[in-house]
Amino acid sequence: MKKNIVSPSICVAAMCLATLVAGCVAPPAPPPRYVVVRPPPVYMSPLPPAAVAYSSPVVTPVISVYIDPPMVQPEPIAVSWAPPAMLVEVPPLSPFPMAVWTGGYWDWHDRWVWSAGRWMAPPQLGYGWVQPYYEHRDNAVLFVSGYWSAPGLRFVPPPLGISIAFAALGVGVVAGLPPIGPQGVFVPPPPGSRPGLIVPAPIGTPPAVVTSAPPVTNVGMRIQNTTINNNNVTNNVTNNVTNTTNVTNVANTRNYMVTAPAAATASGKPFEAAVPAAAHLAAALPPVMRLEAPVPVSTKPVAAFMSGRTPVALPAAQVVRPAPAIGTPSAPSAPSVASLQRPEPEHRQAAASPAALPEAQRMSRVSDERIEAAKQTNVQQAAQHAQRPPERFAGHAQPPQRQAVRPSPGSHPGERPKPEHKKE
């Protein structure tokens, strides 16, 4: 049988042919490349800052009453929405010594009602007035109304973890906005502020300390203690209930420092001012937004609110008299220690008559010491002007000696006898 034998030359030729055919196959095409064409940059001048547009919120009618404060600490209640902004209420002169200004502040009676301020005598010797208590806790407001405290007793804040049922709303009452701000103790915002905002403050702060501050439209305003002792100024911030348990510490403070950044105020300017700690002095400062609290139609006080008791009959709501459009007063600088201890004469004049200053200078605040210094200065100046200067006589080296002349019964005791001139 005969086998087919392939010669080596044929094998080499076949391999060369296969290599040639393989070399003719085109390689795979590379992936496409995408080029992003960016437009040339356009340089524009920066735009000026937008003007701060502010419109005072619509003020609904307010129920204004006098409240008969209890003589023991009331039980706390929980409210689902924040109290409204403060109203302006200028206290009259104290009618008698040891009188205490109670009010005005927002109290709870199946709704937020205005507790009108008035001068009151303590019910018993040694009793002290305790300011109302507001706390933002778990998206609710824990409220304790103002009351008279017996000697030696301290205010006890609602402990953490306590279960407090929400207070029932009155018939036809529509709930407002929940509190907007940090957790902790607070007071209502200044008059004309955005509804729902709260202002963090130490325990025992009178709500009236914010009546002279500008309206706020955002979170940021706060209140600090300012203690003057041995020419040292110490600021203590209390935002947590556990930090302060003794209301006496707050009562010893001469001033409160109210501060707010530019992003929080309606005018778009920062604010910082020292406000007297006494409620009647703080309420007497000139306000930026004058929304006057209505005077109660009845002078008979209503009983304080108590959970589970039949609600008292409330009068009809009254219209709040609005103020003119808000201005943009310049924010004053922080007072120095020297100015608080030894005020200058112009500061004394501002403390004596703040209404006589222009609107831009009314933002300066004075302490109790400044007010007392201004009163003493006015008395001394009046005594100096009451004394007549010595008379001078021409042609005499020394003034002639005069005999004391008693005034006649019909003459005024303050009149002085006219000098008698000799006829030449």
Side-chain angles (χ1 to χ4, degrees):
M1 189 171 178
K2 199 176 205 178
K3 295 182 179 179
N4 294 330
I5 300 174
V6 180
S7 61
S9 59
I10 296 176
C11 293
V12 172
M15 292 176 62
C16 293
L17 181 61
T19 303
L20 182 62
V21 173
C24 295
V25 177
R33 298 177 60 188
Y34 300 96
V35 180
V36 179
V37 180
R38 301 180 182 273
V42 179
Y43 298 96
M44 301 178 62
S45 59
L47 298 177
V52 179
Y54 171 76
S55 59
S56 178
V58 178
V59 181
T60 58
V62 173
I63 297 177
S64 180
V65 294
Y66 293 111
I67 295 179
D68 188 13
M71 297 178 60
V72 294
Q73 179 175 337
E75 294 293 332
I77 60 175
V79 184
S80 60
W81 80 92
M86 287 293 294
L87 300 177
V88 177
E89 191 175 48
V90 181
L93 296 178
S94 177
F96 51 87
M98 304 302 294
V100 181
W101 177 256
T102 60
Y105 59 91
W106 290 105
D107 199 282
W108 180 260
H109 273 270
D110 295 335
R111 71 200 74 188
W112 291 112
V113 300
W114 180 257
S115 175
R118 55 176 176 163
W119 291 101
M120 296 184 62
Q124 296 182 17
L125 183 63
Y127 272 63
W129 174 253
V130 180
Q131 298 292 338
Y133 176 85
Y134 307 87
E135 181 191 346
H136 180 201
R137 186 185 299 184
D138 299 333
N139 208 30
V141 176
L142 299 187
F143 174 71
V144 179
S145 180
Y147 68 97
W148 294 105
S149 177
L153 296 183
R154 301 177 180 179
F155 173 75
V156 180
L160 300 176
I162 186 175
S163 178
I164 303 176
F166 281 88
L169 304 182
V171 179
V173 178
V174 179
L177 298 176
I180 304 174
Q183 300 279 324
V185 184
F186 71 91
V187 294
S193 299
R194 172 187 171 188
L197 287 177
I198 61 177
V199 179
I203 296 178
T205 303
V209 298
V210 299
T211 54
S212 58
V216 291
T217 57
N218 200 357
V219 178
M221 178 173 284
R222 62 176 182 173
I223 301 175
Q224 297 174 301
N225 288 334
T226 303
T227 305
I228 304 176
N229 186 12
N230 297 329
N231 296 332
N232 294 327
V233 179
T234 305
N235 294 332
N236 301 321
V237 183
T238 304
N239 290 330
N240 197 334
V241 182
T242 59
N243 290 347
T244 302
T245 58
N246 189 354
V247 73
T248 306
N249 295 336
V250 178
N252 293 336
T253 305
R254 281 288 185 179
N255 297 288
Y256 287 103
M257 186 65 67
V258 183
T259 59
T265 61
S267 61
K269 297 182 179 180
F271 178 82
E272 183 175 14
V275 181
H280 67 284
L281 296 178
L285 295 176
V288 177
M289 177 65 71
R290 181 176 293 277
L291 294 175
E292 297 182 358
V295 179
V297 295
S298 176
T299 58
K300 182 179 180 181
V302 299
F305 175 83
M306 291 185 61
S307 300
R309 191 176 63 181
T310 304
V312 298
L314 299 174
Q318 300 174 256
V319 179
V320 177
R321 184 167 57 183
I326 181 176
T328 55
S330 59
S333 58
S336 61
V337 178
S339 63
L340 292 176
Q341 294 292 339
R342 185 173 297 176
E344 298 296 332
E346 58 268 21
H347 293 169
R348 296 181 180 180
Q349 296 177 3
S353 57
L357 296 176
E359 185 67 23
Q361 300 179 6
R362 290 187 182 182
M363 303 300 297
S364 61
R365 305 295 181 252
V366 294
S367 62
D368 300 350
E369 298 177 357
R370 289 189 179 183
I371 295 177
E372 295 298 331
K375 292 181 180 178
Q376 297 178 4
T377 303
N378 293 341
V379 172
Q380 295 176 0
Q381 293 179 356
Q384 294 176 1
H385 288 294
Q387 299 177 359
R388 298 182 59 179
E391 299 181 358
R392 300 181 181 274
F393 296 88
H396 297 276
Q398 294 181 356
Q401 298 294 333
R402 297 181 181 177
Q403 297 180 357
V405 180
R406 295 183 179 180
S408 59
S411 62
H412 193 275
E415 295 180 355
R416 301 179 59 182
K418 297 182 179 180
E420 298 180 0
H421 298 279
K422 297 181 179 180
K423 297 182 180 181
E424 297 179 358

